[in-house]
Amino acid sequence: MQYIWLIPLLPGLGAAINGLVGIRSFSRQTAGALASAMMLAAFGLSLFAFMQLLALPPDMRFHDVNVAQWFSAIPMQLRNGTIGTFQVPWGFRLDPLSGMMILIVSGIGTLIHIYSTAYMAEEPRGGVARFFCYLNLFCFFMLMLVLGNNFLVMFVGWEGVGLCSYLLIGYWYEKKSASDAGKKAFLTNRVGDWGFVLGVFLVFSTFGTLDFRAVQNAAAAMPIESMRFGVLSFICLLLFVGATGKSAQIPLYVWLPDAMEGPTPVSALIHAATMVTAGVYMLCRNAVLFSHAPMVMNIVAIVGVLTALMAASIGLVQYDIKRVLAYSTVSQLGYMFTAVGVGAFSAGAFHLMTHAFFKALLFLGSGSVIHAMGGEQDMRRMGGLQKYLPVTFVTMGIGTLAIAGIPPFSGFFSKDEILFRAFVANKAVWVLAVVTALMTAFYMFRLMAMTFLGAYRGPVWETHGGGHDAAHAHDTGHDADDDHGAHGHAHAAHDDNGGGGHGHGPWHGPHESPRPMTLPLQALAIGALIAGFVGIPPALLGGNAIEHFLEPSFTAEAPVGAEAPGVAQGVSPAGAAEQAGLKSGATSENEGEPHVSRGVELGLMGFSVLVALIGISAAWKFYVTSPEISDRLAGQFAGAHRVLSNKYYVDELYDATVISGTMASGRGLWAVDRGVVDGAVNGTGRATIVGSWFSGLTDRTVVDGLVNLVGWVVQESSHIFRRLQTGLVQNYALLMLFGVFVFVSLYLFVR
């Protein structure tokens, strides 16, 4: 555990090598092998560190490593008027929560890297190295985010994954829709980051430290703000704003569906397994803070369940296979926020883990389908692919059963735990969550039916060797979805027999993906099948091991009911908590909740499974046995169908308000700058020019005129006086006599 700092360093090193050398020199295979090897090594270290963590007693499962001093001690005034010390180490912390996260990031990240070696094989050589550089860099920042032991180290990873998201979504930067989607993701996340930064500022000014454990210890000793919106509530609200940006919640969810413009491995890694869960992880990491701000937790639960419901309803009518999964991701993230909002932190983290398996599986499976269909993403132009893609069909089927919540797949255990906690905490939230579960089962089996079952509806192909792609589609009776379009670059790889890739050669019909793509699918399918067994609830005679394992990460050690130690006296909260040696922390998920009998809990489980089966049955009826029903319903409820197809017109609303308002403000400021600021500067310049002209005129006519006049007078008078200078003594004597005469005359006259 002493070397946990190597876990993020390894993919960071891979990114540096591929970025500095690989783009110019490496082959596609070398770039992919290097990036995959670095991730595999990081996973090995993560697994070793996790096993060491498991060997410790439950109350001792934490280990801090400070690599260096980042900010040396700087005196700084706190909110209460005392002087604190701003001092931040570059530190990492391994505990149950971060241990689970590094296994998810490095393990699933490794599988996605391996998958990408085949998926991106037809890209230009330098482009492949650039892609793997971005993937490794993303994993470096994500591991930094989950391992950081203070807010600033987390913030470095937080901003880093945002940057890498922009780079990966816009990987095909020559394609306008991809570059626009990258910019949309980057700017939307900056809105959330504004709240996160303000929250971090308020954390330090309140507690005098940014260390997670020290903040939790100090917060645990403060009173719960159940009747007022105090400083803890403001901190939690600001942090929640940051989480809504990263984890795509209302109103900042709009970037994630457009992020599907990136390559499919990017969707699987960033927008299913890791980055979008960063907001959930951050809330769970600050469980003690949120448990002391119940009003904010209510906001979190409401926003989460509404996001889950809204995104699920949009997913009902989407035709782009990746967009269905994108809205599914938004919906599942809403489930996780709902869990956090009702105080079920371990349930939210548990669903984060199971979701990583089945959603990465579903995204990679969709990439296998797109690969098989030569870049086609519209499900209306698929159908009947079960016989062509048997491995993809079976593995995606497992992922679909998991996300629908069918036992014994992993999603059943985590989703049921969230529904149970919601039922106990808030019946209205539970009802909305159940409706969302019904929609989830429906749209996921709709995806499976339209893609793999029924008759083939896609492009025809030539069965003989050679020739050209006869990519004319069968008439399906549908117009192409506005959001649909094949990628501008190839996604296909060579098949096992060395056949041509779809993007750069003739397409010879749908076929199973090569081994580097199907093996990760099978590994993820195993995870989606068995990962839930670590959270079997007591009602099913299990011990809910993951809840007990994660519990130390959601609690703190601090005196109960006392003023936050160290804040008023300048003592470290962590040091005061160690001196006190008393256990306190976030409200336990079992603490203060009404007792629910085992029968009720089993009844709720049965009801959630029944709801999922109803959704599956409806999808089977509408899209397999009687597909005409879906067309008829779309016609009968054309208005609702149009609203859902256009995603509630939220993008149009943002275009008409936020974007248009921002552009109008920009144009207005430009007009003010041009007319007022530049006008004032230019007017001053013109006034200076006019003034200088008048000044020159005055100088020429008045000043120079007076000087020239004096010179002229002197010159002209000199002619007269020159005549008096004759050089004759008698003339001078005569003038002297005349002068004496005049003087005497004047003297006598005056007298």
Side-chain angles (χ1 to χ4, degrees):
M1 289 191 290
Q2 190 63 31
Y3 299 100
I4 56 175
W5 55 273
L6 284 173
I7 296 173
L9 182 63
L10 286 171
L13 183 62
I17 295 174
N18 260 327
L20 297 175
V21 181
I23 293 177
R24 294 179 178 272
S25 306
F26 288 172
S27 66
R28 298 179 183 89
Q29 294 78 8
T30 303
L34 172 67
S36 301
M38 289 298 183
M39 286 303 301
L40 185 60
F43 176 66
L45 279 176
S46 300
L47 190 60
F48 180 68
F50 188 78
M51 296 304 294
Q52 287 184 310
L53 187 70
L54 282 179
L56 297 174
D59 58 343
M60 297 294 292
R61 284 176 180 163
F62 62 89
H63 185 74
D64 285 291
V65 176
N66 289 331
V67 178
Q69 192 65 32
W70 187 5
F71 289 95
S72 300
I74 303 173
M76 197 168 293
Q77 184 172 338
L78 306 181
R79 285 182 64 252
N80 58 8
T82 62
I83 300 298
T85 301
F86 182 74
Q87 188 172 0
V88 182
W90 194 270
F92 302 100
R93 181 181 183 88
L94 183 66
D95 66 356
L97 183 59
S98 61
M100 182 187 75
M101 290 300 297
I102 60 175
L103 289 180
I104 293 173
V105 175
S106 61
I108 294 181
T110 300
L111 294 175
I112 293 172
H113 275 70
I114 294 171
Y115 179 96
S116 300
T117 59
Y119 191 85
M120 303 296 290
E122 291 299 318
E123 289 295 314
R125 182 195 57 77
V128 172
R130 176 168 61 90
F131 177 80
F132 281 108
C133 170
Y134 293 164
L135 276 190
N136 267 180
L137 187 63
F138 170 82
C139 291
F140 163 75
F141 281 120
M142 189 66 200
L143 289 166
M144 190 77 67
L145 187 155
V146 299
L147 279 174
N149 66 358
N150 60 72
F151 280 95
L152 277 193
V153 175
M154 172 186 271
F155 186 71
V156 171
W158 188 275
E159 290 299 297
V161 294
L163 169 65
C164 293
S165 176
Y166 163 75
L167 295 173
L168 285 165
I169 295 168
Y171 171 76
W172 289 307
Y173 56 87
E174 294 179 352
K175 185 181 174 186
K176 187 177 185 303
S177 59
S179 61
D180 287 347
K183 288 182 286 187
K184 185 176 184 179
F186 191 80
L187 293 174
T188 306
N189 274 274
R190 297 291 75 74
V191 177
D193 294 349
W194 162 81
F196 187 22
V197 170
L198 292 182
V200 172
F201 290 162
L202 192 53
V203 164
F204 179 79
S205 66
T206 302
F207 300 107
T209 180
L210 293 177
D211 181 83
F212 286 126
R213 179 56 56 176
V215 170
Q216 305 301 72
N217 291 341
M222 298 176 71
I224 296 176
E225 296 177 347
S226 56
M227 302 301 295
R228 63 187 182 89
F229 209 86
V231 63
L232 294 182
S233 298
F234 276 111
I235 290 173
C236 292
L237 185 62
L238 290 170
L239 295 179
F240 173 61
V241 171
T244 58
K246 271 292 181 292
S247 293
Q249 298 296 288
I250 294 174
L252 301 179
Y253 72 93
V254 292
W255 66 271
L256 195 145
D258 288 351
M260 298 303 107
E261 290 291 340
T264 301
V266 173
S267 304
L269 179 65
I270 297 182
H271 307 116
T274 51
M275 173 184 160
V276 293
T277 60
V280 180
Y281 170 79
M282 188 259 283
L283 299 190
C284 291
R285 175 58 70 192
N286 293 283
V288 177
L289 277 173
F290 278 86
S291 66
H292 281 64
M295 287 186 283
V296 177
M297 289 185 69
N298 287 334
I299 295 174
V300 173
I302 293 170
V303 170
V305 75
L306 291 179
T307 301
L309 181 66
M310 184 195 67
S313 64
I314 295 174
L316 295 174
V317 298
Q318 297 299 308
Y319 293 108
D320 187 305
I321 187 171
K322 287 178 66 177
R323 282 190 176 269
V324 174
L325 295 176
Y327 282 104
S328 171
T329 298
V330 177
S331 182
Q332 295 303 305
L333 289 167
Y335 255 104
M336 299 175 206
F337 274 81
T338 302
V340 171
V342 298
F345 295 100
S346 65
F350 183 25
H351 196 60
L352 184 156
M353 184 262 287
T354 59
H355 174 265
F357 282 105
F358 60 68
K359 187 52 65 66
L361 169 60
L362 290 168
F363 265 116
L364 294 185
S366 72
S368 181
V369 171
I370 295 168
H371 164 91
M373 294 298 295
E376 182 63 68
Q377 293 183 209
D378 193 334
M379 296 185 297
R380 293 170 295 186
R381 296 175 180 173
M382 298 180 186
L385 297 183
Q386 174 184 359
K387 60 182 178 180
Y388 302 109
L389 290 81
V391 176
T392 303
F393 170 69
V394 172
T395 53
M396 284 192 73
I398 292 173
T400 301
L401 290 169
I403 194 174
I406 302 298
F409 299 93
S410 60
F412 163 74
F413 298 100
S414 56
K415 183 180 289 188
D416 178 74
E417 186 69 15
I418 294 174
L419 290 174
F420 173 66
R421 299 291 181 183
F423 177 82
V424 171
N426 189 313
K427 299 300 187 294
V429 170
W430 174 77
V431 169
L432 295 179
V434 168
V435 173
T436 301
L438 173 67
M439 293 181 179
T440 301
F442 178 84
Y443 68 66
M444 285 308 306
F445 273 84
R446 170 181 178 267
L447 180 150
M448 291 295 295
M450 294 186 70
T451 304
F452 294 102
L453 305 180
Y456 177 75
R457 303 179 300 275
V460 297
W461 65 92
E462 296 186 3
T463 56
H464 53 79
H468 303 283
D469 180 9
H472 56 276
H474 294 298
D475 184 12
T476 62
H478 297 282
D479 294 328
D481 192 287
D482 291 339
D483 294 325
H484 164 262
H487 288 300
H489 298 258
H491 303 308
H494 290 289
D495 59 26
D496 293 328
N497 300 320
H502 301 154
H504 299 280
W507 180 59
H508 298 298
H511 60 277
E512 188 59 88
S513 300
R515 262 184 205 283
M517 293 173 66
T518 56
L519 287 178
L521 291 179
Q522 295 170 47
L524 289 168
I526 294 172
L529 178 60
I530 67 174
F533 293 149
V534 298
I536 299 177
L540 294 179
L541 305 180
N544 206 342
I546 192 167
E547 179 178 347
H548 299 299
F549 173 71
L550 292 174
E551 184 181 2
S553 298
F554 306 140
T555 59
E557 294 182 356
V560 179
E563 183 182 359
V567 176
Q569 293 83 7
V571 182
S572 166
E578 288 175 5
Q579 295 170 11
L582 299 176
K583 191 140 184 116
S584 174
T587 304
S588 170
E589 295 174 14
N590 299 318
E591 183 180 310
E593 66 181 25
H595 175 72
V596 177
S597 67
R598 181 169 179 266
V600 172
E601 189 171 354
L602 289 174
L604 291 173
M605 287 183 192
F607 181 70
S608 67
V609 174
L610 177 62
V611 165
L613 292 175
I614 292 173
I616 294 171
S617 301
W620 182 271
K621 178 73 173 177
F622 291 175
Y623 293 95
V624 178
T625 59
S626 304
E628 70 279 358
I629 295 178
S630 61
D631 295 332
R632 186 171 68 249
L633 290 177
Q636 290 177 350
F637 302 98
H641 188 276
R642 190 180 308 111
V643 170
L644 294 178
S645 297
N646 288 279
K647 294 93 66 179
Y648 293 102
Y649 297 98
V650 173
D651 284 318
E652 289 77 5
L653 177 63
Y654 281 177
D655 285 339
T657 55
V658 178
I659 297 175
S660 297
T662 301
M663 297 299 293
S665 299
R667 287 190 292 269
L669 291 174
W670 175 73
V672 171
D673 181 70
R674 183 185 60 178
V676 178
V677 179
D678 287 353
V681 173
N682 295 334
T684 302
R686 292 190 185 93
T688 302
I689 293 173
V690 172
S692 65
W693 183 83
F694 277 108
S695 176
L697 180 64
T698 303
D699 184 67
R700 290 194 304 271
T701 58
V702 179
V703 179
D704 288 352
L706 289 175
V707 172
N708 294 335
L709 177 62
V710 171
W712 179 82
V713 170
V714 172
Q715 181 181 3
E716 293 302 321
S717 60
S718 66
H719 294 292
I720 299 173
F721 289 105
R722 189 172 56 194
R723 296 179 184 276
L724 299 177
Q725 304 297 323
T726 61
L728 299 176
V729 176
Q730 59 269 29
N731 290 342
Y732 296 155
L734 179 61
L735 287 173
M736 291 175 62
L737 180 62
F738 178 74
V740 170
F741 173 76
V742 172
F743 177 77
V744 172
S745 298
L746 290 173
Y747 175 77
L748 294 175
F749 178 76
V750 172
R751 188 177 175 187

